[in-house]
Each structure stands twice: as C-alpha cells, then as structure tokens.
Amino acid sequence: TQWRELFDAIGWPPSISGAGESLTHEGIIDALHRDPLSDELLLALETLDNLGTPAGREVIAAQLNDRQMPPGVLPLNLGERELALRLFIAQRSDGALADVFSRAQVQIQEGSSRRFNDFTGKKPGVLPGLRAKRQEIEQAILEYCREQDLGEYVQVRVLDDDDGNCRFQIMRSHHTRTPLAVVPGAAGRTKIQYRPVHADLVRYEPDLGRLRVAQSTNTT
C-alpha cells in the first residue's frame, strides 16, 4: 500500500505504471533494476536505507518531539521502513514534517557530531524571490561540488514554514568511495565506485535576520 502511495506521489516506474492493486514486491524490485530512477525515487530509497532502521526510528521520534509536532502526525507503531517511507511521503506537502525529515537525515549521517553554523544579518528582513534564490543556491553549490571533486548531483528544495521562516533543503553528492563488494555474476570481491548523497539544511528566520546552516560535512 505504501509503495503505491509513494508512486502516486512521485510518479510510477514505466514498467509497472498502471499496475494498481496488482502491484507486487517482485514487480517493484524488477522495476528498480530495469527502469531509470528519478531523483525523487532515489531520495526515497536513500530514506529507507538511512532512516528505515531502529536508529532512524529514534531520530525521527526525537525530531518530532523537538519540533513539538502533535501526537499522531505520524503513526509511530509502524515498522522502521514503513515509518521512514511514511515520513518521506508526508514531508513533500508539509513544511514542518519536511523540517523533521531534513534534520533527521542530517542527524543520522552525522550522529552526535552534527554541525550548526548561525549567521546574523545587520537587520532582519524577508527574502524576496525565493524560487530565484533556489536556482542561485543550486548553481553555486553545483559549481562548488565540481571544484572540490564532489560530483555533479545537487537538488535544492524551498520550504516555507507557517511562522514565516524559510528553509532550503540541499541534497548533494560527495567524494567518491570505492569499497570492496561482491557484484552479481562475479566469483570474488571487486571494488565498486559510488558517490554518497549528503543532506544539508539552510534555514532563514526573517524576524531575526538569522541564517542557520546545518551541515552534514564540514564544508562551507
């Protein structure tokens, strides 16, 4: 059921579009191997990997409590992976849950060594043209990633809070890793290359003129 909800929200893989009630786990796995994966689907899969664990459940619960979310906003009696997927779907249309989601991602990646940097402007004020700001931030981060050999994947989302604050959720690639692995069809171990995706959160509070940057790595 939740996979159907996910695909309804972000789009169905071509090979199983229209499967509806006949959707099976085998069909999902086959589609993930066969079809091109959208950025949103890749982020959903990363969410299952990072937050769909006992540690991820604790982080989500702690962030819900810190954000003073009302009881029942997420059904905490679900399994870890179901809870992570439910949060991923809900945060796409709920600014407060998007904040919980972003902070949970950062916390689970950094553990107890999260890094927050605060900057205060000379005077408070509302940011005009948020959509244009999103494009500027995305381009600046892309250029930085290219210069620092961090890859070329950058995705920036703009999220508005009810209290007037605005947040930029930044997903970006990082340094290439080459772990040993066993790949299908191979008789022994081999090195594979991949770039992990890190999550950063930039939050601006117009009443205070304060910018808070929650970084998943020590970058500037």
Side-chain angles (χ1 to χ4, degrees):
T1 300
Q2 287 199 348
W3 280 103
R4 282 195 292 270
E5 291 179 12
L6 173 66
F7 294 145
D8 284 340
I10 68 174
W12 285 70
S15 65
I16 55 174
S17 62
E21 296 298 323
S22 64
L23 181 67
T24 64
H25 285 96
E26 291 76 12
I28 294 172
I29 293 172
D30 184 58
L32 295 180
H33 283 94
R34 249 188 344 184
D35 296 342
L37 304 182
S38 67
D39 288 344
E40 285 287 284
L41 183 51
L42 286 171
L43 182 55
L45 294 174
E46 184 202 13
T47 300
L48 289 175
D49 185 55
N50 289 343
L51 296 178
T53 63
R57 173 192 288 279
E58 293 181 7
V59 168
I60 292 171
Q63 291 298 332
L64 289 171
N65 184 62
D66 289 347
R67 198 69 168 77
Q68 298 183 340
M69 302 294 292
V73 66
L74 282 178
L76 294 177
N77 61 335
L78 295 174
E80 285 85 7
R81 289 185 174 273
E82 291 177 294
L83 176 63
L85 196 58
R86 178 71 66 179
L87 173 60
F88 175 81
I89 295 171
Q91 62 87 31
R92 299 181 75 254
S93 58
D94 187 306
L97 284 178
D99 192 39
V100 169
F101 175 68
S102 298
R103 290 180 179 275
Q105 285 182 311
V106 172
Q107 183 173 346
I108 205 69
Q109 287 182 2
E110 289 297 296
S112 60
S113 60
R114 288 177 297 162
R115 179 180 177 184
F116 291 88
N117 291 320
D118 286 349
F119 306 90
T120 303
K122 294 181 179 179
K123 61 181 181 179
V126 176
L127 283 178
L130 284 181
R131 299 301 162 184
K133 292 290 190 299
R134 183 199 69 79
Q135 295 175 354
E136 291 176 13
I137 291 175
E138 194 168 90
Q139 184 60 37
I141 294 173
L142 178 58
E143 292 175 2
Y144 177 84
C145 287
R146 286 171 174 166
E147 292 171 358
Q148 301 298 318
D149 192 26
L150 299 177
E152 298 189 0
Y153 172 76
V154 176
Q155 183 183 37
V156 178
R157 296 176 62 197
V158 181
L159 305 159
D160 298 321
D161 281 348
D162 295 335
D163 55 9
N165 296 336
C166 62
R167 289 164 295 107
F168 299 92
Q169 182 192 27
I170 302 165
M171 305 298 296
R172 56 177 175 78
S173 51
H174 199 56
H175 292 297
T176 300
R177 294 182 181 176
T178 55
L180 283 174
V182 178
V183 299
R189 294 173 296 178
T190 186
K191 283 187 176 182
I192 61 172
Q193 289 190 352
Y194 75 99
R195 290 185 182 272
V197 176
H198 286 189
D200 300 326
L201 179 68
V202 177
R203 178 184 178 92
Y204 178 67
E205 302 170 5
D207 291 342
L208 301 175
R210 181 171 67 185
L211 186 72
R212 164 164 283 195
V213 182
Q215 297 171 278
S216 58
T217 58
N218 294 335
T219 57
T220 56

